[in-house]
Amino acid sequence: MTSTGEQEKCLKSPVSTSVFSVVELKHVSIPRRLEVDENNDQLGSSGEVLPENQRHRKNSSNSIGSSLARGTTLLCYRMSDVVVSLLVLLPLTIAMWRGIWNIMDICTDPWLSILIGNTIPITLYYFQDTLKFFIHPRKMNFSLFYLISRILLVTHAFGSINQWRGAWAILDYETGLGSESALISLVLPVGVLILCKVFSNVIASPLFSGVDEATSVHDYPLHFKTPVASKWMYFLDCLWSVLVVQNLVAIAWRGLWNLTNNHLYPSNKTLSACVSLAIGTIIVIILSTLQPCYFRFMMKLKGLIRLAFFDLVTMCGFTGCVLAWRGTWDLYDIYIVFGMI
């Protein structure tokens, strides 16, 4: 049986909450009623002092009961996050992405989307320290901070959606929608992302959920973590993180998405969407539930075997995310006709 301390360590680990991703539990707190009073462990039901052997048995029983109770509580917190991510965050996120994507399909050329989609993130990445310094609730009225920070978040989202739409649409036009194009679009970017140790960037909602906080609302992590003082190297790091890493992620998503379009009940779009969403949901639930277990297992591995296991789990998460997004997106297309809005 795993101790509660180990479970909490796994939950709080940067690997488990950001890279392995599964749902980010920032607000887990254990009720104090689950804590064992060590002084009472030495007393019997009538208040008498227990002999050493009985005291040891009672301590063991209390320890097991406490671990089970706290482990169950942590699992409930984790599963509640999964439910919120699947039923609230995922459909709302996809609705926003689909809405902006379809509007840009009507209004702009894919090449313009590429220009917009790469310029906005690069600008926000480069000036993130300046934004964090000036746009802070301690330096301005909170209402003004909230308004400006949310406008910047929406602007970043608008840029990212255009970046994905531009790369996706141009590849569809230039290379077609066939399985060969999709397979190349999947294999090559995934291979490069793994070699560059940035494969975890393929994970998205519902396996990863961020919380908007004043200290991190303008925090855009760079691949090489170059300090701002190294201006040109910092700028190159911004270019690499946006132009290479993010575009490779978008292309990898396109590959798996189009492969699913071609091979998962291609003649029945409704059935294909439902099956895709169901498989993606099952993968998300399994990964979210078993996260502490496979994290502890990974910690026991060494070298290339550990990296291979990490990439395998990330690939499973990537598959679950793409299938869940595709299923939800296609159901929107089927039941919410964009042209009628």
Side-chain angles (χ1 to χ4, degrees):
M1 180 179 298
T2 305
S3 68
T4 307
E6 289 176 333
Q7 291 174 344
E8 293 183 43
K9 182 178 179 181
C10 291
L11 289 172
K12 294 176 182 178
S13 166
V15 176
S16 64
T17 56
S18 59
V19 178
F20 266 69
S21 175
V22 201
V23 176
E24 186 171 2
L25 299 176
K26 285 193 173 183
H27 306 293
V28 172
S29 59
I30 308 302
R32 294 195 61 80
R33 59 184 174 81
L34 296 178
E35 297 179 358
V36 177
D37 186 354
E38 296 181 355
N39 294 328
N40 291 334
D41 291 344
Q42 301 179 7
L43 303 178
S45 58
S46 303
E48 75 279 7
V49 178
L50 295 174
E52 184 66 27
N53 57 343
Q54 295 183 25
R55 190 187 310 167
H56 177 72
R57 285 197 297 270
K58 182 179 179 181
N59 288 342
S60 300
S61 176
N62 286 341
S63 177
I64 294 174
S66 175
S67 296
L68 284 173
R70 297 180 70 184
T72 302
T73 302
L74 287 173
L75 181 61
C76 290
Y77 277 110
R78 177 175 293 278
M79 295 313 298
S80 67
D81 270 355
V82 174
V83 170
V84 171
S85 295
L86 285 171
L87 299 184
V88 180
L89 299 182
L90 178 65
L92 289 178
T93 302
I94 294 176
M96 181 194 70
W97 271 69
R98 176 179 176 270
I100 295 177
W101 192 297
N102 288 343
I103 290 173
M104 300 309 289
D105 279 343
I106 296 172
C107 298
T108 66
D109 182 85
W111 290 104
L112 181 58
S113 279
I114 285 184
L115 178 62
I116 296 172
N118 287 289
T119 301
I120 291 176
I122 289 173
T123 303
L124 292 175
Y125 272 54
Y126 187 77
F127 292 105
Q128 61 177 298
D129 275 17
T130 304
L131 293 173
K132 283 188 285 187
F133 181 80
F134 287 104
I135 304 175
H136 197 281
R138 293 180 181 177
K139 297 191 175 184
M140 60 175 61
N141 178 274
F142 181 78
S143 298
L144 181 61
F145 160 78
Y146 190 88
L147 177 63
I148 296 176
S149 62
R150 269 52 193 177
I151 290 175
L152 287 172
L153 287 174
V154 172
T155 302
H156 193 184
F158 179 76
S160 296
I161 295 169
N162 273 278
Q163 181 187 37
W164 280 54
R165 174 189 173 264
W168 200 302
I170 289 173
L171 283 175
D172 282 352
Y173 179 79
E174 295 293 340
T175 66
L177 302 175
S179 296
E180 182 179 353
S181 169
L183 186 61
I184 295 173
S185 180
L186 172 64
V187 173
L188 289 182
V190 167
V192 175
L193 290 170
I194 290 175
L195 290 175
C196 295
K197 297 184 179 180
V198 289
F199 187 41
S200 59
N201 286 276
V202 298
I203 300 296
S205 177
L207 280 181
F208 179 79
S209 302
V211 179
D212 299 335
E213 296 180 346
T215 56
S216 61
V217 70
H218 309 297
D219 189 13
Y220 309 118
L222 299 177
H223 182 197
F224 298 106
K225 299 179 175 59
T226 308
V228 182
S230 305
K231 293 185 178 180
W232 281 107
M233 295 303 297
Y234 181 78
F235 180 67
L236 291 176
D237 199 356
C238 293
L239 292 181
W240 169 267
S241 300
V242 174
L243 296 179
V244 178
V245 176
Q246 292 185 14
N247 280 291
L248 286 175
V249 170
I251 295 170
W253 269 64
R254 171 192 176 269
L256 184 54
W257 193 297
N258 284 354
L259 276 176
T260 310
N261 284 343
N262 294 334
H263 297 285
L264 185 64
Y265 301 108
S267 60
N268 189 332
K269 188 173 182 179
T270 302
L271 178 60
S272 179
C274 292
V275 173
S276 179
L277 179 58
I279 296 174
T281 300
I282 291 171
I283 293 174
V284 168
I285 293 174
I286 292 175
L287 288 178
S288 301
T289 306
L290 299 181
Q291 181 188 6
C293 301
Y294 62 68
F295 175 73
R296 284 192 296 271
F297 176 75
M298 189 196 73
M299 291 297 100
K300 298 177 182 178
L301 303 177
K302 303 293 182 181
L304 292 178
I305 297 178
R306 180 174 176 177
L307 289 174
F309 180 78
F310 164 81
D311 291 331
L312 175 63
V313 175
T314 304
M315 189 66 195
C316 293
F318 168 49
T319 304
C321 289
V322 173
L323 291 178
W325 270 69
R326 176 186 174 273
T328 307
W329 193 299
D330 283 355
L331 288 175
Y332 276 144
D333 286 343
I334 294 168
Y335 295 106
I336 304 178
V337 181
F338 186 78
M340 294 174 59
I341 299 177

